[in-house]
Amino acid sequence: MPRRPAPGPLSATVALREDGRPYVRNYQQIPHGLTLGANYSGKSMHQRCLIKALAPQSVALVGIDCKRGVEQGPFAPRLSALATTPDQAEGLLDALVAEMEDRFDLLCLHQGIGPGTALEDITSDIWGLPKHLRPMPIVVLIDEIAELFLIASKNDMARRDHMVTQLVRLAQLARAIGIYLEVCGQRFGSELGKGATALRAQLTGRVVHRCNDKQTAEMGLADVNELAVAAATSIAPERAGTAIVGDSSGNWTRIRTPKTSLGEVAAVCREFAHLTPDIPALAPFRPATGIPASAPAATPAIASGTP
């Protein structure tokens, strides 16, 4: 991997392309992304490298990890908000939508439309605002999207529909005011239910690792290029970290994410914890970074032949 950071704000070098050049995730060019892959395919490693590259930058990181935070909990010092259950995720998505609406009000107030305003000073997104007025950009990292769609009973249906509606609203509108979605999952398709296809259509950046079924690769890449689907379904199990990346232009390439330990990324998050912005709307979801005194003693690990 190159030693130099990616050029420009909100750009993160997370992998290498097959031609040897770095693969840079640029949120100003491709605001929302979808990353798919089976267990041990490298999907979580891709997210770790993304967080590691974003941690030193002026950006708010927000996590939604409904596996009780086992993936994103170690990054808590650098997270402005973290939801670890579907109930918390619902509240956090509501807070993000409220923040989005407040930012649109700010943009309308200061976008510079007036009879004497120079044409180049008129803006339709936050990047055209003066720096002292510009809100902090937010990257929302969703670890397993299916957990937000699944319901255990009819009583959960209203909550699920509400969360999906809020997600679709963010995906459709939030780019202009600096809120970006990074959605991950093992499986993503219409069988998840109402709103899944509408959300997928807004996630322009696609990264597909080895999948358990061809349909998942098609959901991620069929609208990019059919050859990309064939390349994704041919990734060997022993090639963890290899993925096919594509976008709406129809271009695609192979990438491979470097192996990065959870502890390595957690250390970077602790190092740059002082850069974590305080966003009032997200304050109720700010994760605790210390271990509670009443925490149970650690259970000895069981020896296993798999990591």
Side-chain angles (χ1 to χ4, degrees):
M1 294 290 291
R3 293 180 179 271
R4 294 181 181 178
L10 284 177
S11 294
T13 301
V14 295
L16 286 180
R17 296 157 50 105
E18 62 181 342
D19 60 5
R21 293 185 295 164
Y23 166 64
V24 178
R25 178 74 171 90
N26 187 323
Y27 284 94
Q28 289 185 284
Q29 294 179 356
I30 302 177
H32 308 305
L34 174 64
T35 302
L36 299 173
N39 287 327
Y40 297 103
S41 66
K43 172 172 53 67
S44 296
M45 204 70 66
H46 183 271
Q47 187 176 96
R48 290 178 194 176
C49 291
L50 186 59
I51 293 173
K52 181 181 177 182
L54 289 174
Q57 302 188 33
S58 296
V59 59
L61 301 178
V62 171
I64 297 179
D65 177 10
C66 290
K67 295 184 292 186
R68 294 297 189 270
V70 295
E71 289 287 348
Q72 297 181 350
F75 314 140
R78 189 58 183 86
L79 298 180
S80 295
L82 175 63
T84 60
T85 67
D87 287 334
Q88 292 178 3
E90 181 182 21
L92 178 53
L93 289 172
D94 286 344
L96 286 167
V97 169
E99 175 70 12
M100 177 183 73
E101 293 171 346
D102 289 344
R103 291 186 177 200
F104 272 120
D105 291 340
L106 174 69
L107 184 60
C108 290
L109 183 63
H110 295 283
Q111 67 183 155
I113 299 178
T117 304
L119 295 179
E120 61 270 16
D121 293 334
I122 298 176
T123 181
S124 62
D125 60 46
I126 65 167
W127 300 105
L129 294 175
K131 192 172 182 179
H132 69 281
L133 292 175
R134 189 183 307 153
M136 180 69 67
I138 300 173
V139 175
V140 183
L141 302 121
I142 302 176
D143 182 69
E144 183 51 72
I145 186 63
E147 288 298 317
L148 302 184
F149 278 83
L150 297 179
I151 56 175
S153 65
K154 289 185 178 180
N155 296 332
D156 296 332
M157 189 171 296
R159 181 187 65 186
R160 175 247 182 231
D161 289 346
H162 179 68
M163 284 195 293
V164 172
T165 298
Q166 299 295 62
L167 273 173
V168 173
R169 290 187 67 195
L170 288 169
Q172 290 180 156
L173 304 173
R175 176 207 60 81
I177 43 79
I179 299 179
Y180 309 100
L181 299 181
E182 195 70 42
V183 177
C184 296
Q186 296 183 45
R187 169 77 178 153
F188 195 90
S190 57
E191 76 281 355
L192 289 179
K194 179 182 177 182
T197 303
L199 176 61
R200 183 185 68 103
Q202 302 295 329
L203 305 176
T204 309
R206 307 289 175 80
V207 178
V208 178
H209 297 76
R210 177 182 56 82
C211 299
N212 288 326
D213 58 288
K214 184 181 178 182
Q215 288 73 26
T216 298
E218 290 176 338
M219 288 298 292
L221 295 170
D223 54 348
V224 174
N225 193 304
E226 286 295 336
L227 293 177
V229 176
T233 55
S234 65
I235 297 175
E238 62 271 16
R239 297 287 293 176
T242 301
I244 305 300
V245 60
D247 56 45
S248 57
S249 68
N251 295 323
W252 64 275
T253 186
R254 291 180 182 86
I255 63 171
R256 196 171 193 193
T257 309
K259 186 176 182 180
T260 307
S261 69
L262 195 64
E264 182 180 345
V265 183
V268 173
C269 289
R270 288 196 297 267
E271 179 184 356
F272 294 100
H274 63 284
L275 297 180
T276 305
D278 183 17
I279 300 177
L282 305 181
F285 304 93
R286 184 75 178 261
T289 57
I291 300 176
S294 59
T299 303
I302 299 174
S304 172
T306 59

